[in-house]
Short mmCIF file of all heavy atoms in Angstrom, two decimals:
data_model
loop_
_atom_site.label_atom_id
_atom_site.label_comp_id
_atom_site.label_asym_id
_atom_site.label_seq_id
_atom_site.Cartn_x
_atom_site.Cartn_y
_atom_site.Cartn_z
N ARG Q 1 -6.82 -2.64 -8.00
CA ARG Q 1 -6.66 -1.65 -6.95
C ARG Q 1 -5.48 -0.75 -7.28
O ARG Q 1 -4.40 -1.22 -7.69
CB ARG Q 1 -6.47 -2.29 -5.58
CG ARG Q 1 -5.30 -3.22 -5.45
CD ARG Q 1 -5.15 -3.71 -4.01
NE ARG Q 1 -4.85 -2.61 -3.11
CZ ARG Q 1 -4.95 -2.69 -1.78
NH1 ARG Q 1 -5.35 -3.81 -1.22
NH2 ARG Q 1 -4.65 -1.65 -1.02
N ALA Q 2 -5.68 0.56 -7.14
CA ALA Q 2 -4.63 1.52 -7.46
C ALA Q 2 -4.84 2.77 -6.61
O ALA Q 2 -5.91 2.96 -6.01
CB ALA Q 2 -4.63 1.87 -8.94
N TRP Q 3 -3.82 3.64 -6.61
CA TRP Q 3 -3.88 4.87 -5.82
C TRP Q 3 -2.93 5.90 -6.44
O TRP Q 3 -1.93 5.55 -7.05
CB TRP Q 3 -3.48 4.59 -4.37
CG TRP Q 3 -3.57 5.78 -3.46
CD1 TRP Q 3 -2.54 6.52 -2.97
CD2 TRP Q 3 -4.75 6.37 -2.95
NE1 TRP Q 3 -3.01 7.53 -2.19
CE2 TRP Q 3 -4.37 7.46 -2.14
CE3 TRP Q 3 -6.12 6.07 -3.10
CZ2 TRP Q 3 -5.30 8.28 -1.48
CZ3 TRP Q 3 -7.04 6.87 -2.43
CH2 TRP Q 3 -6.63 7.96 -1.64
N GLY Q 4 -3.29 7.16 -6.29
CA GLY Q 4 -2.40 8.24 -6.73
C GLY Q 4 -2.14 8.20 -8.22
O GLY Q 4 -3.06 8.05 -9.03
N GLN Q 5 -0.87 8.31 -8.60
CA GLN Q 5 -0.50 8.44 -10.01
C GLN Q 5 -0.82 7.20 -10.83
O GLN Q 5 -0.88 7.26 -12.06
CB GLN Q 5 0.99 8.76 -10.14
CG GLN Q 5 1.92 7.61 -9.75
CD GLN Q 5 3.37 8.03 -9.73
OE1 GLN Q 5 3.71 9.10 -9.24
NE2 GLN Q 5 4.25 7.20 -10.27
N SER Q 6 -1.03 6.06 -10.16
CA SER Q 6 -1.31 4.82 -10.90
C SER Q 6 -2.80 4.62 -11.17
O SER Q 6 -3.17 3.69 -11.89
CB SER Q 6 -0.77 3.61 -10.14
OG SER Q 6 -1.50 3.40 -8.95
N ALA Q 7 -3.66 5.48 -10.60
CA ALA Q 7 -5.10 5.27 -10.73
C ALA Q 7 -5.59 5.31 -12.18
O ALA Q 7 -6.40 4.46 -12.58
CB ALA Q 7 -5.86 6.28 -9.87
N PRO Q 8 -5.16 6.29 -13.01
CA PRO Q 8 -5.66 6.30 -14.39
C PRO Q 8 -5.35 5.01 -15.16
O PRO Q 8 -6.23 4.46 -15.83
CB PRO Q 8 -4.94 7.50 -15.02
CG PRO Q 8 -4.65 8.41 -13.86
CD PRO Q 8 -4.33 7.48 -12.73
N ALA Q 9 -4.11 4.53 -15.07
CA ALA Q 9 -3.76 3.29 -15.78
C ALA Q 9 -4.50 2.10 -15.19
O ALA Q 9 -4.90 1.18 -15.92
CB ALA Q 9 -2.25 3.06 -15.73
N GLY Q 10 -4.69 2.08 -13.85
CA GLY Q 10 -5.44 1.00 -13.23
C GLY Q 10 -6.88 0.97 -13.70
O GLY Q 10 -7.44 -0.10 -13.97
N ARG Q 11 -7.49 2.15 -13.79
CA ARG Q 11 -8.88 2.22 -14.31
C ARG Q 11 -8.95 1.72 -15.75
O ARG Q 11 -9.89 1.02 -16.12
CB ARG Q 11 -9.40 3.66 -14.25
CG ARG Q 11 -9.77 4.14 -12.87
CD ARG Q 11 -10.56 5.44 -12.96
NE ARG Q 11 -10.90 5.95 -11.65
CZ ARG Q 11 -10.17 6.84 -10.98
NH1 ARG Q 11 -9.07 7.33 -11.54
NH2 ARG Q 11 -10.55 7.25 -9.79
N ARG Q 12 -7.95 2.10 -16.54
CA ARG Q 12 -7.94 1.68 -17.94
C ARG Q 12 -7.85 0.16 -18.04
O ARG Q 12 -8.57 -0.47 -18.83
CB ARG Q 12 -6.75 2.33 -18.66
CG ARG Q 12 -6.60 1.94 -20.12
CD ARG Q 12 -7.77 2.40 -20.93
NE ARG Q 12 -7.61 2.06 -22.34
CZ ARG Q 12 -8.62 1.84 -23.16
NH1 ARG Q 12 -9.87 1.89 -22.72
NH2 ARG Q 12 -8.41 1.55 -24.42
N PHE Q 13 -6.98 -0.46 -17.25
CA PHE Q 13 -6.86 -1.91 -17.27
C PHE Q 13 -8.16 -2.57 -16.83
O PHE Q 13 -8.58 -3.57 -17.43
CB PHE Q 13 -5.70 -2.37 -16.37
CG PHE Q 13 -5.42 -3.84 -16.44
CD1 PHE Q 13 -4.51 -4.33 -17.36
CD2 PHE Q 13 -6.07 -4.74 -15.61
CE1 PHE Q 13 -4.25 -5.70 -17.43
CE2 PHE Q 13 -5.82 -6.09 -15.67
CZ PHE Q 13 -4.91 -6.58 -16.59
N ALA Q 14 -8.78 -2.03 -15.79
CA ALA Q 14 -10.04 -2.61 -15.31
C ALA Q 14 -11.10 -2.60 -16.39
O ALA Q 14 -11.85 -3.57 -16.57
CB ALA Q 14 -10.52 -1.85 -14.07
N ARG Q 15 -11.18 -1.49 -17.14
CA ARG Q 15 -12.16 -1.42 -18.24
C ARG Q 15 -11.84 -2.45 -19.32
O ARG Q 15 -12.74 -3.10 -19.86
CB ARG Q 15 -12.20 -0.01 -18.82
CG ARG Q 15 -12.94 1.00 -17.96
CD ARG Q 15 -13.34 2.22 -18.77
NE ARG Q 15 -12.17 2.98 -19.20
CZ ARG Q 15 -11.62 3.98 -18.51
NH1 ARG Q 15 -12.12 4.32 -17.32
NH2 ARG Q 15 -10.59 4.63 -18.96
N LEU Q 16 -10.56 -2.57 -19.67
CA LEU Q 16 -10.17 -3.53 -20.71
C LEU Q 16 -10.47 -4.97 -20.28
O LEU Q 16 -10.84 -5.80 -21.11
CB LEU Q 16 -8.68 -3.38 -21.02
CG LEU Q 16 -8.24 -2.10 -21.73
CD1 LEU Q 16 -6.71 -1.99 -21.75
CD2 LEU Q 16 -8.78 -2.06 -23.15
N ALA Q 17 -10.30 -5.26 -18.99
CA ALA Q 17 -10.52 -6.63 -18.48
C ALA Q 17 -11.97 -6.88 -18.10
O ALA Q 17 -12.35 -8.03 -17.85
CB ALA Q 17 -9.61 -6.89 -17.29
N GLY Q 18 -12.77 -5.83 -18.00
CA GLY Q 18 -14.17 -5.99 -17.61
C GLY Q 18 -14.33 -6.39 -16.15
O GLY Q 18 -15.21 -7.18 -15.82
N ILE Q 19 -13.47 -5.85 -15.27
CA ILE Q 19 -13.56 -6.13 -13.84
C ILE Q 19 -13.61 -4.82 -13.08
O ILE Q 19 -13.23 -3.77 -13.61
CB ILE Q 19 -12.37 -6.99 -13.35
CG1 ILE Q 19 -11.03 -6.30 -13.63
CG2 ILE Q 19 -12.41 -8.36 -14.00
CD1 ILE Q 19 -9.81 -7.09 -13.14
N PRO Q 20 -14.08 -4.80 -11.82
CA PRO Q 20 -14.22 -3.56 -11.06
C PRO Q 20 -12.87 -2.91 -10.75
O PRO Q 20 -11.82 -3.57 -10.73
CB PRO Q 20 -14.91 -4.00 -9.77
CG PRO Q 20 -15.54 -5.32 -10.09
CD PRO Q 20 -14.64 -5.96 -11.10
N PHE Q 21 -12.94 -1.60 -10.48
CA PHE Q 21 -11.77 -0.83 -10.05
C PHE Q 21 -12.03 -0.29 -8.65
O PHE Q 21 -13.13 0.18 -8.34
CB PHE Q 21 -11.51 0.33 -11.01
CG PHE Q 21 -10.43 1.26 -10.54
CD1 PHE Q 21 -9.10 0.94 -10.70
CD2 PHE Q 21 -10.76 2.46 -9.89
CE1 PHE Q 21 -8.10 1.78 -10.23
CE2 PHE Q 21 -9.77 3.31 -9.43
CZ PHE Q 21 -8.44 2.98 -9.60
N ARG Q 22 -11.00 -0.33 -7.81
CA ARG Q 22 -11.11 0.20 -6.46
C ARG Q 22 -9.95 1.15 -6.19
O ARG Q 22 -8.78 0.80 -6.41
CB ARG Q 22 -11.10 -0.93 -5.42
CG ARG Q 22 -12.27 -1.89 -5.54
CD ARG Q 22 -12.23 -2.96 -4.47
NE ARG Q 22 -13.30 -3.94 -4.65
CZ ARG Q 22 -13.48 -5.00 -3.86
NH1 ARG Q 22 -12.66 -5.21 -2.83
NH2 ARG Q 22 -14.46 -5.84 -4.09
N LEU Q 23 -10.28 2.35 -5.72
CA LEU Q 23 -9.26 3.33 -5.37
C LEU Q 23 -8.88 3.10 -3.91
O LEU Q 23 -9.62 3.46 -2.99
CB LEU Q 23 -9.81 4.74 -5.58
CG LEU Q 23 -8.79 5.89 -5.51
CD1 LEU Q 23 -7.77 5.77 -6.63
CD2 LEU Q 23 -9.51 7.23 -5.59
N LEU Q 24 -7.73 2.47 -3.69
CA LEU Q 24 -7.31 2.07 -2.33
C LEU Q 24 -5.85 2.47 -2.12
O LEU Q 24 -5.01 2.32 -3.01
CB LEU Q 24 -7.45 0.55 -2.15
CG LEU Q 24 -8.86 -0.03 -2.26
CD1 LEU Q 24 -8.79 -1.56 -2.26
CD2 LEU Q 24 -9.71 0.46 -1.10
N ARG Q 25 -5.55 2.98 -0.93
CA ARG Q 25 -4.18 3.35 -0.60
C ARG Q 25 -3.28 2.10 -0.53
O ARG Q 25 -3.75 1.01 -0.22
CB ARG Q 25 -4.13 4.07 0.76
CG ARG Q 25 -4.71 5.47 0.73
CD ARG Q 25 -4.52 6.15 2.07
NE ARG Q 25 -5.05 7.51 2.05
CZ ARG Q 25 -4.36 8.58 1.65
NH1 ARG Q 25 -3.12 8.43 1.23
NH2 ARG Q 25 -4.93 9.78 1.66
N TRP Q 26 -1.98 2.34 -0.81
CA TRP Q 26 -1.04 1.23 -0.76
C TRP Q 26 -0.64 0.91 0.67
O TRP Q 26 -0.34 1.82 1.45
CB TRP Q 26 0.25 1.59 -1.53
CG TRP Q 26 0.01 2.04 -2.93
CD1 TRP Q 26 0.38 3.23 -3.47
CD2 TRP Q 26 -0.64 1.31 -3.97
NE1 TRP Q 26 0.00 3.29 -4.78
CE2 TRP Q 26 -0.63 2.12 -5.12
CE3 TRP Q 26 -1.23 0.05 -4.04
CZ2 TRP Q 26 -1.19 1.72 -6.32
CZ3 TRP Q 26 -1.78 -0.35 -5.24
CH2 TRP Q 26 -1.76 0.48 -6.35
N PRO Q 27 -0.61 -0.35 1.05
CA PRO Q 27 -0.03 -0.70 2.34
C PRO Q 27 1.45 -0.34 2.39
O PRO Q 27 2.12 -0.24 1.35
CB PRO Q 27 -0.22 -2.22 2.42
CG PRO Q 27 -1.33 -2.52 1.47
CD PRO Q 27 -1.19 -1.52 0.37
N ALA Q 28 1.98 -0.11 3.58
CA ALA Q 28 3.39 0.24 3.74
C ALA Q 28 4.29 -0.90 3.26
O ALA Q 28 4.00 -2.07 3.47
CB ALA Q 28 3.68 0.55 5.20
N GLY Q 29 5.38 -0.53 2.57
CA GLY Q 29 6.39 -1.51 2.18
C GLY Q 29 6.05 -2.37 0.99
O GLY Q 29 6.76 -3.34 0.72
N THR Q 30 5.00 -2.03 0.24
CA THR Q 30 4.63 -2.84 -0.93
C THR Q 30 5.37 -2.38 -2.18
O THR Q 30 5.87 -1.25 -2.26
CB THR Q 30 3.12 -2.78 -1.19
OG1 THR Q 30 2.76 -1.44 -1.52
CG2 THR Q 30 2.34 -3.24 0.03
N GLY Q 31 5.40 -3.27 -3.19
CA GLY Q 31 6.06 -2.94 -4.44
C GLY Q 31 5.45 -1.73 -5.13
O GLY Q 31 6.18 -0.81 -5.54
N PRO Q 32 4.12 -1.67 -5.31
CA PRO Q 32 3.53 -0.50 -5.95
C PRO Q 32 3.76 0.79 -5.15
O PRO Q 32 3.94 1.86 -5.74
CB PRO Q 32 2.04 -0.86 -6.02
CG PRO Q 32 2.03 -2.35 -6.05
CD PRO Q 32 3.15 -2.76 -5.15
N ASN Q 33 3.74 0.71 -3.83
CA ASN Q 33 4.02 1.88 -3.00
C ASN Q 33 5.40 2.43 -3.34
O ASN Q 33 5.58 3.64 -3.59
CB ASN Q 33 3.94 1.47 -1.52
CG ASN Q 33 4.04 2.66 -0.58
OD1 ASN Q 33 4.75 3.62 -0.81
ND2 ASN Q 33 3.32 2.58 0.54
N TRP Q 34 6.39 1.55 -3.36
CA TRP Q 34 7.76 1.98 -3.67
C TRP Q 34 7.88 2.55 -5.07
O TRP Q 34 8.47 3.61 -5.28
CB TRP Q 34 8.69 0.77 -3.48
CG TRP Q 34 10.10 1.03 -3.93
CD1 TRP Q 34 11.05 1.77 -3.28
CD2 TRP Q 34 10.70 0.57 -5.16
NE1 TRP Q 34 12.21 1.79 -4.02
CE2 TRP Q 34 12.02 1.07 -5.17
CE3 TRP Q 34 10.25 -0.21 -6.23
CZ2 TRP Q 34 12.90 0.80 -6.21
CZ3 TRP Q 34 11.12 -0.47 -7.25
CH2 TRP Q 34 12.43 0.02 -7.26
N GLN Q 35 7.30 1.86 -6.07
CA GLN Q 35 7.42 2.32 -7.45
C GLN Q 35 6.76 3.68 -7.66
O GLN Q 35 7.33 4.57 -8.29
CB GLN Q 35 6.80 1.30 -8.41
CG GLN Q 35 7.70 0.14 -8.73
CD GLN Q 35 7.12 -0.72 -9.85
OE1 GLN Q 35 6.48 -1.73 -9.58
NE2 GLN Q 35 7.33 -0.33 -11.08
N ASN Q 36 5.56 3.85 -7.15
CA ASN Q 36 4.83 5.09 -7.40
C ASN Q 36 5.46 6.29 -6.68
O ASN Q 36 5.32 7.42 -7.14
CB ASN Q 36 3.37 4.93 -6.99
CG ASN Q 36 2.59 4.09 -7.99
OD1 ASN Q 36 2.47 4.44 -9.15
ND2 ASN Q 36 2.06 2.96 -7.54
N HIS Q 37 6.18 6.04 -5.59
CA HIS Q 37 6.90 7.13 -4.94
C HIS Q 37 8.26 7.38 -5.60
O HIS Q 37 8.72 8.51 -5.67
CB HIS Q 37 7.11 6.81 -3.44
CG HIS Q 37 5.91 7.07 -2.60
ND1 HIS Q 37 4.96 6.12 -2.34
CD2 HIS Q 37 5.49 8.20 -1.97
CE1 HIS Q 37 4.01 6.62 -1.56
NE2 HIS Q 37 4.31 7.89 -1.33
N ARG Q 38 8.87 6.32 -6.08
CA ARG Q 38 10.24 6.41 -6.60
C ARG Q 38 10.30 6.86 -8.05
O ARG Q 38 11.28 7.50 -8.46
CB ARG Q 38 10.90 5.03 -6.45
CG ARG Q 38 12.34 4.95 -6.94
CD ARG Q 38 13.27 5.74 -6.05
NE ARG Q 38 14.65 5.56 -6.45
CZ ARG Q 38 15.21 6.17 -7.52
NH1 ARG Q 38 14.49 7.00 -8.27
NH2 ARG Q 38 16.48 5.95 -7.80
N PHE Q 39 9.24 6.59 -8.86
CA PHE Q 39 9.32 6.86 -10.29
C PHE Q 39 8.12 7.68 -10.75
O PHE Q 39 7.10 7.12 -11.19
CB PHE Q 39 9.40 5.54 -11.08
CG PHE Q 39 10.56 4.68 -10.68
CD1 PHE Q 39 10.42 3.64 -9.77
CD2 PHE Q 39 11.82 4.92 -11.21
CE1 PHE Q 39 11.50 2.86 -9.39
CE2 PHE Q 39 12.92 4.15 -10.83
CZ PHE Q 39 12.76 3.12 -9.91
N PRO Q 40 8.19 9.00 -10.64
CA PRO Q 40 7.08 9.86 -11.09
C PRO Q 40 6.81 9.66 -12.58
O PRO Q 40 7.72 9.38 -13.37
CB PRO Q 40 7.61 11.27 -10.81
CG PRO Q 40 8.70 11.10 -9.80
CD PRO Q 40 9.31 9.76 -10.09
N GLY Q 41 5.55 9.79 -12.97
CA GLY Q 41 5.19 9.67 -14.37
C GLY Q 41 4.96 8.26 -14.84
O GLY Q 41 4.64 8.04 -16.01
N THR Q 42 5.14 7.27 -13.95
CA THR Q 42 4.86 5.86 -14.30
C THR Q 42 3.69 5.38 -13.45
O THR Q 42 3.18 6.11 -12.60
CB THR Q 42 6.08 4.98 -14.05
OG1 THR Q 42 6.35 4.90 -12.64
CG2 THR Q 42 7.31 5.53 -14.76
N ALA Q 43 3.26 4.17 -13.69
CA ALA Q 43 2.13 3.61 -12.94
C ALA Q 43 2.46 2.19 -12.51
O ALA Q 43 3.03 1.41 -13.28
CB ALA Q 43 0.87 3.61 -13.79
N SER Q 44 2.08 1.87 -11.28
CA SER Q 44 2.26 0.52 -10.75
C SER Q 44 1.01 0.19 -9.93
O SER Q 44 0.71 0.87 -8.96
CB SER Q 44 3.51 0.46 -9.87
OG SER Q 44 3.67 -0.82 -9.28
N PHE Q 45 0.28 -0.84 -10.35
CA PHE Q 45 -0.97 -1.15 -9.67
C PHE Q 45 -1.12 -2.66 -9.50
O PHE Q 45 -0.35 -3.45 -10.06
CB PHE Q 45 -2.18 -0.57 -10.42
CG PHE Q 45 -2.32 -1.03 -11.85
CD1 PHE Q 45 -2.97 -2.22 -12.15
CD2 PHE Q 45 -1.82 -0.27 -12.90
CE1 PHE Q 45 -3.11 -2.66 -13.47
CE2 PHE Q 45 -1.96 -0.68 -14.22
CZ PHE Q 45 -2.60 -1.87 -14.50
N VAL Q 46 -2.13 -3.05 -8.74
CA VAL Q 46 -2.38 -4.46 -8.40
C VAL Q 46 -3.65 -4.95 -9.07
O VAL Q 46 -4.65 -4.22 -9.14
CB VAL Q 46 -2.51 -4.62 -6.86
CG1 VAL Q 46 -3.09 -5.99 -6.51
CG2 VAL Q 46 -1.16 -4.43 -6.19
N VAL Q 47 -3.59 -6.17 -9.58
CA VAL Q 47 -4.78 -6.86 -10.09
C VAL Q 47 -5.01 -8.07 -9.19
O VAL Q 47 -4.15 -8.94 -9.07
CB VAL Q 47 -4.62 -7.31 -11.55
CG1 VAL Q 47 -5.86 -8.08 -12.01
CG2 VAL Q 47 -4.36 -6.12 -12.46
N GLU Q 48 -6.17 -8.09 -8.53
CA GLU Q 48 -6.56 -9.22 -7.68
C GLU Q 48 -7.45 -10.16 -8.50
O GLU Q 48 -8.35 -9.71 -9.21
CB GLU Q 48 -7.34 -8.74 -6.45
CG GLU Q 48 -6.54 -7.85 -5.52
CD GLU Q 48 -5.74 -8.64 -4.50
OE1 GLU Q 48 -5.72 -9.89 -4.59
OE2 GLU Q 48 -5.13 -7.99 -3.62
#
């Protein structure tokens, strides 16, 4: 699951792992939410 600037890297990881990708907004106060707002040009996503 990824959103915004992290979506391209999240999709790439999903393809490499052979698992589905879901474009989902970050819940408030989460680690990826903070990273993607705080550090432009990087990616932070979740693997369930």
Side-chain angles (χ1 to χ4, degrees):
R1 58 175 297 165
W3 183 255
Q5 69 187 42
S6 69
R11 285 193 182 93
R12 179 64 178 151
F13 185 91
R15 284 198 293 269
L16 291 170
I19 58 179
F21 172 80
R22 297 182 184 179
L23 191 64
L24 297 171
R25 289 185 179 273
W26 306 122
T30 64
N33 187 324
W34 173 76
Q35 279 189 263
N36 285 299
H37 281 91
R38 180 69 176 77
F39 302 97
T42 68
S44 177
F45 58 85
V46 167
V47 178
E48 297 274 5

